[in-house]
Amino acid sequence: MSTALIVGVAGFLGRYAAREFIRLGWRVVGLDIVPPENGPHGIIYFQMPLPSPELATLLRAESPQVCINAAGRASVPLSMENPADDFRDNAVLTFELLEALRRDAPHCRFLFLSSAAVYGNPMSLPVSESHAIMPLSPYGYHKRQGELLCEEFSKIYAVPTASLRLFSAYGPGLRRQVIWDMCERVFVTGALQLRGTGEESRDFIHAADVARALAMLATDAPCGGEIYNIASGREVSIAELAALVLAELGTDIVAQFDGAETPGQPRNWRADTARAASLGFTTSVVLEQGLSGVAAWCRAELGNA
């Protein structure tokens, strides 16, 4: 039985990845900083703040075939306020993991969860992996630094790595970002006031599809330091998204936009997904279907707010 080591396993995407690898028959070992009772079920769990000298012992004992870095910070606004913590929890943590693999599990594949934030405002859409890198936030820069570390360790030390540039991941369990924010405002305030013009757009991908991409790349990617866009390839404006969310919540509220720009946030995104598709990856959850599940979950979480 192959072993997958998931760092940040108690987080939003870490949980989805754990469930997918278990479904496919993998043995899953997970690391996180929260107590074991807060980790996902069905895995071998270690509560381990990183960096830790215990990681070397774990790698030698468990001999994972793939290590997924789903840890780190994922907030553009917080990175603008506190770039030092974002750098430590993203770029520095990625280096520590790669260095541990180099020493103690050099044949283990390393999959790094990067972000479309590295693109900033693309000059053209859809944006491919060869597009110029133009981050607008410390978060985007630190994700790019993680990608470069993966390339460095692959080219110089032959550690097999690949980076996944995730676009706007969503799904039940995510208590932040735009879809959760919309639902929370509807339930708490009875209105939906949003920043921006509504013409801003994103390319949404369900967390279950992110987990499927990880499982595919764990076995099928060349892992020579390359990068993959992981997205649906569909551009959706925030105004359209708001209308879809409000319809799923069964309300006649109309979204209002204040026209203000948010520092660090790009205007429009749509991914070129040809590179991942060449390995056989396609998304399975269309946005309308995914939003139905998220709205039901948010209703259960926020209905009494």
Side-chain angles (χ1 to χ4, degrees):
M1 182 182 293
S2 296
T3 297
L5 172 62
I6 302 176
V7 182
V9 73
F12 171 58
L13 291 176
R15 289 178 180 273
Y16 276 87
R19 287 195 290 267
E20 178 66 9
F21 277 82
I22 290 170
R23 185 186 72 82
L24 294 173
W26 288 65
R27 175 176 174 268
V28 175
V29 177
L31 301 184
D32 216 306
I33 60 174
V34 299
E37 58 268 24
N38 300 119
H41 298 294
I43 71 169
I44 301 166
Y45 183 85
F46 293 88
Q47 184 179 2
M48 185 184 296
L50 295 175
S52 169
E54 297 176 12
L55 180 57
T57 302
L58 184 149
L59 287 172
R60 291 193 292 266
E62 302 296 342
S63 299
Q65 281 68 53
V66 63
C67 174
I68 296 167
N69 182 10
R73 298 185 174 225
S75 171
V76 166
L78 288 179
S79 81
M80 300 287 283
E81 296 172 10
N82 194 336
D85 284 352
D86 192 88
F87 176 72
R88 181 197 66 225
D89 292 344
N90 284 319
V92 174
L93 175 61
T94 300
F95 174 83
E96 295 288 350
L97 290 171
L98 286 164
E99 176 66 357
L101 291 175
R102 181 185 72 84
R103 293 192 310 257
D104 300 298
H107 302 297
C108 176
R109 290 172 163 239
F110 182 76
L111 301 182
F112 172 59
L113 295 188
S114 184
S115 170
V118 303
Y119 293 123
N121 283 315
M123 293 179 288
S124 61
L125 296 176
V127 59
S128 72
E129 293 87 348
S130 61
H131 190 280
I133 301 302
M134 302 182 295
L136 300 173
S137 66
Y139 172 73
Y141 276 103
H142 299 155
K143 284 298 188 181
R144 179 55 179 157
Q145 288 162 7
E147 294 177 353
L148 291 171
L149 287 167
C150 288
E151 181 181 331
E152 171 193 341
F153 274 77
S154 183
K155 302 301 183 186
I156 297 177
Y157 300 111
V159 176
T161 72
S163 297
L164 290 72
R165 283 181 184 159
L166 305 184
F167 281 66
S168 297
Y170 74 101
L174 184 61
R175 291 178 175 83
R176 54 183 172 79
Q177 298 185 1
V178 62
I179 297 172
W180 168 265
D181 289 345
M182 287 179 178
C183 293
E184 185 176 40
R185 290 174 191 180
V186 168
F187 280 106
V188 173
T189 71
L192 185 55
Q193 181 72 36
L194 299 169
R195 297 203 70 174
T197 65
E199 296 304 309
E200 301 85 359
S201 62
R202 294 293 182 266
D203 187 333
F204 292 93
I205 181 167
H206 197 280
D209 281 328
V210 173
R212 290 179 55 250
L214 284 165
M216 180 202 72
L217 294 173
T219 56
D220 297 345
C223 282
E226 74 275 11
I227 295 166
Y228 300 91
N229 283 340
I230 302 299
S232 69
R234 173 184 173 185
E235 183 180 4
V236 178
S237 73
I238 300 303
E240 180 184 355
L241 176 71
L244 290 171
V245 169
L246 291 168
E248 289 294 341
L249 294 177
T251 177
D252 58 2
I253 292 170
V254 176
Q256 303 294 323
F257 294 88
D258 66 7
E261 290 190 6
T262 302
Q265 297 285 4
R267 287 184 294 274
N268 303 106
W269 274 350
R270 177 163 60 95
D272 180 336
T273 60
R275 183 175 294 178
S278 71
L279 295 179
F281 177 70
T282 57
T283 56
S284 62
V285 183
V286 298
L287 181 61
E288 288 79 3
Q289 174 193 356
L291 288 177
S292 178
V294 174
W297 173 74
C298 286
R299 190 178 293 110
E301 294 289 309
L302 296 165
N304 295 322

